Amino acid sequence: MAATVSRNIQLAQALPKRLQTFLARYPPQQLLPKGANPEQHKTPYQEETPNPFLPMRHPITGKWHDPKYSLRRQAELVKLARDHGVEELLPYTPKGTEVRLSKRVELGLRVKGTGVGETVKGHKHERQLVGKMEKRRKAMLEMPDLIREWKKTGKRNWTRFPK
């Protein structure tokens, strides 16, 4: 038990200072002791804003307040956490890996036609390319038979469409 606690402390100290500071201010529920009530173990930072990555509505005035961490700083923290294997300890953020991957799947590459179920209009020659290539493929597969027939009858006497 003591060995795992000291190992966890060493791992935490190996994190960059920015991540250490963030996790000290906003400790995740996974790090709380077993059976502890998360409402009782809130830091002053967590009481002020439960998730520092999301905008928050002021309870009295009703005005929206910006997140404590800007999108750029969120992205930097997520990259640091991902590199050190502790990304799942961060609260929900729009810059998280899972959120970005789900948006990439939903929206595609932001190029028309790369999303789910979308097609690109394209130029006429681009749209007809698939059909042309299929005809060529079929012609190439039929070519040995055609050559054999030419050799039998001679090219001048051969007609593709017999009367």
Side-chain angles (χ1 to χ4, degrees), residues 52 55 73 87 91 95 163:
R73 288 174 63 202
E87 184 180 358
K95 295 295 183 178
K163 296 179 182 178

Side-chain angles (χ1 to χ4, degrees), residues 13-77:
Q13 289 173 345
L15 294 175
K17 189 68 177 163
R18 289 182 70 184
L19 269 178
Q20 286 181 12
T21 304
F22 180 83
L23 292 175
R25 289 181 179 175
Y26 301 95
Q29 292 181 0
Q30 296 97 318
L31 298 182
L32 294 178
K34 290 185 178 179
N37 185 5
E39 294 297 321
Q40 293 176 344
H41 286 71
K42 282 189 173 183
T43 63
Y45 292 98
Q46 285 176 316
E47 289 175 4
E48 185 183 341
T49 55
N51 187 346
F53 295 150
L54 299 177
M56 195 181 122
R57 193 178 193 120
H58 193 276
I60 298 171
T61 62
K63 290 187 176 183
W64 284 96
H65 290 263
D66 292 335
K68 294 290 179 188
Y69 286 83
S70 68
L71 292 174
R72 180 185 56 82
R73 288 174 63 202
Q74 287 177 37
E76 290 172 356
L77 271 174

